[in-house]
């Protein structure tokens, strides 16, 4: 009799445990949600995270608190996110640097970019631009390529750091054009931009939002943009696709991800809340004011995008024989 009672109790306990998973996810969110930004405050990633936090919280019915976890070009924050409890209460903003460029060049990255995260949505994408100091002898892309081909190793380019999108996108450009330009890595996009404007380095591949004011003021000359179409503010600057370099026509993305194992219904709730937030014209305008394009795709589409970007930059690293400095 005792044995039967123990067996029944064990069966009841097992049933309760099995039922707990769906019950927990159905109750999501049961407390405030942390939205981690893997970079310092002030950059495009942080701006988009903060723009989304309030309307996302409103749609979810809980506060969404932005938490900055900077370090290692986004690696510190991404690693922390990968280790978080997969219940939806700790999610993060993913970028090309954290999910593609850095993992492609750094074999010691402490996470698997494809298998350690659950993609939810690509919120927005930002064009990138290749620009030169006004003193550079070429003022358009065709003349630029001819100049650097004629003088291999003479010119250098600035980037936000080894493994960032500016670095690997320029290396992709170099591999397709057969050019050699020396890489000068900086500790952030700001210092790289400042030295290019100052003439210490003649070339930069940068995020358009930060470079645009200097281009419009004549402190930099834009040669080509990585965007689906010409940028309204730079109508005379072609896209890389127009220039016959379509593989370089890649934008930076800012998406929502969670740790691996995030329940499908939680993913669905967060995705629906983010979609609702992006319907607000004020939210869309604030995102577009950064120079970004609102995307709002599906979890499977974002997963495929991350996989594609990672593959592209892995190939660039192999072809260009790139290593961490």
């Amino acid at each position: 009799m005792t044995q039967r009672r123990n067996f029944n109790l064990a069966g009841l306990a097992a049933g309760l445990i099995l039922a707990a998973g769906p019950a927990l996810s159905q109750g999501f969110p049961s407390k405030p949600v942390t939205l981690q930004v893997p970079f310092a405050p002030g950059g495009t990633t942080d701006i988009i995270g903060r723009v989304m936090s309030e309307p996302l919280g409103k749609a979810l019915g809980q506060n969404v608190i932005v938490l900055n976890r900077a370090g290692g070009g986004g690696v510190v924050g991404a690693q922390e996110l990968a280790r978080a409890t997969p219940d939806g209460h700790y999610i993060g903003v993913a970028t090309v640097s954290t999910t593609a460029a850095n993992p492609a060049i750094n074999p010691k990255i402490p996470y698997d970019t494809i298998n350690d995260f659950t993609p939810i949505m690509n919120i927005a994408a930002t064009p990138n631009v290749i620009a030169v100091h006004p003193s550079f002898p070429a003022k358009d892309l065709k003349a630029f390529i001819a100049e650097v081909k004629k003088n291999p190793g003479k010119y250098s380019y600035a980037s936000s750091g080894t493994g960032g999108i500016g670095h690997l996108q320029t290396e992709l450009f170099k591999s397709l054009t057969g050019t050699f330009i020396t890489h000068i890595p900086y500790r952030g996009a700001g210092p790289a931009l400042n030295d290019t404007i100052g003439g210490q380095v003649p070339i930069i591949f940068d995020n358009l939002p930060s470079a645009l004011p200097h281009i419009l003021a004549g402190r930099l000359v834009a040669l080509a943009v990585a965007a689906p179409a010409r940028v309204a503010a730079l109508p005379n600057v072609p896209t890389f696709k127009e220039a016959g370099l379509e593989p370089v026509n890649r934008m930076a993305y800012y998406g929502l991800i969670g740790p691996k194992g995030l329940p499908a219904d939680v993913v669905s709730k967060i995705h629906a809340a983010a979609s609702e937030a992006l319907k607000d014209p004020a939210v869309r305008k604030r995102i577009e004011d950064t120079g970004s394009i609102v995307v709002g795709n599906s979890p499977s589409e974002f997963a495929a995008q991350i996989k594609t970007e990672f593959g592209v930059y892995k190939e660039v690293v192999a072809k260009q024989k790139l290593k961490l400095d």
Side-chain angles (χ1 to χ4, degrees):
M1 187 75 172
T2 303
Q3 187 176 4
R4 178 181 288 182
R5 186 182 296 114
N6 288 343
F7 178 80
N8 288 341
L9 288 171
L12 177 63
L16 288 171
I17 290 168
L18 286 171
L24 283 171
S25 57
Q26 284 165 14
F28 169 81
S30 58
K31 58 183 179 181
V33 173
T34 296
L35 177 59
Q36 186 219 79
V37 172
F39 296 99
T44 308
T45 312
D46 180 64
I47 292 168
I48 289 176
R50 291 181 187 279
V51 166
M52 287 294 291
S53 62
E54 187 178 342
L56 188 63
K58 185 178 178 182
L60 286 171
Q62 285 281 357
N63 287 337
V64 172
I65 301 161
V66 175
L67 175 68
N68 295 88
R69 279 281 188 263
V75 172
V76 171
Q79 180 182 9
E80 184 177 291
L81 177 62
R83 293 173 174 172
T85 302
D87 63 3
H89 291 100
Y90 196 102
I91 58 175
V93 181
T95 69
V96 175
S97 291
T98 59
T99 59
N102 256 319
I105 198 172
N106 186 357
K108 295 182 179 179
I109 284 279
Y111 54 84
D112 183 326
T113 192
I114 304 301
N115 298 309
D116 284 351
F117 302 106
T118 302
I120 300 168
M121 173 193 281
N122 181 7
I123 299 165
T126 299
N128 298 304
V129 60
I130 189 166
V132 294
H133 187 267
S135 65
F136 196 83
K139 300 294 187 289
D140 62 65
L141 189 64
K142 186 177 179 180
F144 172 80
I145 293 171
E147 176 66 21
V148 293
K149 271 190 172 180
K150 191 169 61 180
N151 298 286
K154 176 181 177 180
Y155 298 107
S156 57
Y157 74 94
S159 87
S160 60
T162 302
I165 186 172
H167 174 209
L168 294 197
Q169 206 159 14
T170 308
E171 293 299 324
L172 176 57
F173 171 84
K174 287 164 59 178
S175 73
L176 293 171
T177 55
T179 52
F180 175 55
I181 317 164
T182 304
H183 178 218
I184 308 293
Y186 284 78
R187 298 188 69 176
L193 190 60
N194 288 339
D195 270 14
T196 310
I197 293 163
Q200 286 90 338
V201 184
I203 306 160
I204 189 167
F205 208 133
D206 191 30
N207 233 218
L208 183 62
S210 51
L212 186 58
H214 303 290
I215 294 167
L216 296 176
R219 292 186 288 269
L220 290 174
V221 178
L223 304 178
V225 292
R230 292 196 181 198
V231 175
L234 302 172
N236 298 320
V237 179
T239 66
F240 283 100
K241 183 177 179 179
E242 288 179 79
L245 297 167
E246 187 170 0
V248 189
N249 217 52
R250 327 190 75 80
M251 295 197 293
Y253 55 69
Y254 306 94
L256 294 176
I257 57 171
K260 69 178 178 182
L262 204 59
D265 58 337
V266 171
V267 173
S268 181
K269 283 184 180 180
I270 298 171
H271 186 275
S275 298
E276 187 65 28
L278 290 177
K279 289 178 184 175
D280 184 339
V283 172
R284 295 179 71 89
K285 184 180 185 303
R286 288 176 69 193
I287 291 172
E288 289 164 354
D289 283 348
T290 70
S292 302
I293 298 163
V294 175
V295 179
N297 62 7
S298 70
S300 60
E301 286 169 336
F302 190 31
Q305 187 176 9
I306 291 171
K307 190 173 183 180
T308 297
E309 293 302 298
F310 179 60
V312 165
Y313 291 120
K314 279 288 283 185
E315 191 174 323
V316 170
V317 167
K319 187 174 180 180
Q320 297 294 94
K321 298 180 173 59
L322 303 178
K323 293 182 180 178
L324 289 176
D325 295 340

